[in-house]
Amino acid sequence: MTRHGPTRRTLRLAFLALAAVVLAAVGGAVWLVADAGLLRDAAGAPAVPALVVLALAFAALTGLWACWGVLASHFADLERLRAGVLVASVSRDGRLPPPRDRAAGPDEVARLREAVETLVLRRLFPSAGPDERLTAVLATLDEAILVVTEQGQVSLVNAAARALLGDEPVRVGSSVFAALERDDLLDAMAHAHAEPGGAVDATLPGVDGRRWPARICELTGHGGYVVRLTATPVGGPRLRVVAEDGAVHHDLSLHDALPEAAADDATPLFDLPALVFDCESTGLDVRADRIVSMGGVRVHGTRIFHIANIDRLVNPGVPIPPRSSAIHGITDELARDAPPFPEVWPALEPLLRGAVLVGHNIGFDLALLRRECSLAGLTPPAPPTLDTLLLAGLLFPDMTDLSLEALAERLGVDIHGRHTALGDALVTAELYVRLLPLLDSAGIATLAEARAFTGRATALRARQRAMGW
């Protein structure tokens, strides 16, 4: 996988050399003993049967083979630990991916892993600072507080808001419109923006039918709004706010502006603008099937910009087969009121402009995208692409299962919302940014080098071409 450290080939050559030395030593010893006449008795008959000599030689080789197995396993664990440290360098929590064998007892590799993880965590998260103390203050409030981006992504939520609206609907990074009605909240945000003080009082309907008295304040200069809800819904009793924990969850980097996208072959991977993309479809035939949903998120280098995303249902204009609905959950009824592809394309095209298209089996998604554009009379896109399946297959030759689930477990990525277009895109984005330091360690630094690298995955590419993309 890498250009650093002992490889399996080096280890195998060392083992063969050691085996040759041992056999030569055993042969030399036998020859010396035989030359001294110690292997024959007084009558000249063999004193040590040949089978005994062979058994000793076999035992020596078996011992060497066992040593080879132990050494190979240790070097594999050390290589996995080295890769894990590189992955931790770009992960948000600084934690290493899980070890190969979670059930194994402590040994020198496990102890080294523990020490490295402790060092990484202490360096990246040294102590509770002002931000953590502010979080502790917010956790004491019984008023529900949400901070959302201009697009409605949740960037901060306190325990009271999670207790009132549910953990999943207001999870950081998710759309607040899963908890509060879109049109009413957008209208209140527009009024707050227009007010001199940047704040308005409103009643916000929830998707569950309850109505919440609220105050909406513009987050001036940071592209977002603070939404404060009382614990007393309109026409109902005051609710007792109880949450499983009092933590404030947040990722205020969601408000950061997206850098300009301009990629060419010489662009370093750590500066590469990319759109990580996935779509769900009516089937797997790229020549006949249609898109039913699209999801994507922009990435710049190792940074995921959750604020720049797309998550849209698409009316395919044809019936959705039950076997496909069983996988992604999108039925004819759900897609009936969704816009057709030509009406969704204007929301996707700006995210794709100037960026590399990244995905797991991205050739499939691009083929569907190009076909939809052709059917709509639009110019089919032809962006450069990077396939995370091909990259992972080359970086982890020991893995036979290259599914998103298997790679997520290998690299320590939490899975949310699998088999939804945006859910798959977000998981793929997390995998992609974790692959970048491993590519760099392997001497692959630019887009051109990464695309040439994926060309080596001949078996995987042949399988993809056989499927039509």
Side-chain angles (χ1 to χ4, degrees), residues 143-197:
E143 187 178 42
I145 296 178
L146 293 164
V147 179
V148 299
T149 67
E150 292 174 331
Q151 291 75 27
Q153 272 191 299
V154 178
S155 62
L156 181 147
V157 55
N158 70 345
R162 289 187 287 116
L164 293 181
L165 302 174
D167 281 320
E168 192 60 25
V170 291
R171 179 171 50 85
V172 169
S174 66
S175 171
V176 71
F177 305 125
L180 300 172
E181 289 292 347
R182 175 189 294 267
D183 291 342
D184 295 85
L185 179 55
L186 289 177
D187 185 61
M189 288 161 61
H191 278 85
H193 176 70
E195 285 293 318

Side-chain angles (χ1 to χ4, degrees), residues 226-435:
V226 179
V227 180
R228 295 157 50 191
L229 306 175
T230 69
T232 307
V234 175
R238 182 174 179 81
L239 301 178
R240 182 167 174 263
V241 176
V242 178
E244 291 185 3
D245 64 79
V248 174
H249 300 169
H250 62 88
D251 181 4
L252 295 175
S253 67
L254 291 172
H255 297 266
D256 293 346
L258 184 68
E260 290 292 325
D264 57 36
D265 282 346
T267 303
L269 293 177
F270 283 111
D271 291 324
L272 188 69
L275 173 66
V276 183
F277 182 76
D278 183 80
C279 61
E280 303 294 340
S281 62
T282 57
L284 298 177
D285 186 349
V286 297
R287 295 163 298 185
D289 284 305
R290 305 293 297 272
I291 292 175
V292 298
S293 73
M294 299 188 304
V297 63
R298 278 290 303 274
V299 174
H300 197 91
T302 60
R303 189 169 179 186
I304 301 171
F305 284 83
H306 292 85
I307 191 173
N309 75 85
I310 183 170
D311 183 18
R312 294 292 187 90
L313 280 177
V314 179
N315 188 331
V318 298
I320 303 173
R323 64 179 181 276
S324 297
S325 296
I327 295 173
H328 49 57
I330 301 171
T331 62
D332 289 330
E333 184 179 359
L334 284 174
R336 184 175 297 119
D337 295 328
F341 179 83
E343 294 180 22
V344 179
W345 173 247
L348 174 63
E349 193 275 335
L351 293 174
L352 183 56
R353 193 182 306 142
V356 175
L357 194 65
V358 174
H360 210 64
N361 278 320
I362 191 59
F364 171 78
D365 304 281
L366 181 57
L368 284 176
L369 195 59
R370 288 177 58 83
R371 180 169 185 270
E372 290 286 359
C373 285
S374 296
L375 291 174
L378 302 167
T379 302
T385 61
L386 285 176
D387 193 329
T388 52
L389 182 137
L390 301 181
L391 293 172
L394 292 165
L395 290 171
F396 306 123
D398 59 311
M399 290 188 69
T400 56
D401 181 2
L402 294 172
S403 65
L404 282 180
E405 289 88 347
L407 288 169
E409 182 178 4
R410 174 76 177 250
L411 294 172
V413 174
D414 264 339
I415 292 183
H416 290 290
R418 279 287 282 114
H419 297 303
T420 66
L422 182 58
D424 284 357
L426 290 171
V427 171
T428 305
E430 293 286 355
L431 293 176
Y432 168 70
V433 299
R434 284 163 169 77
L435 293 178

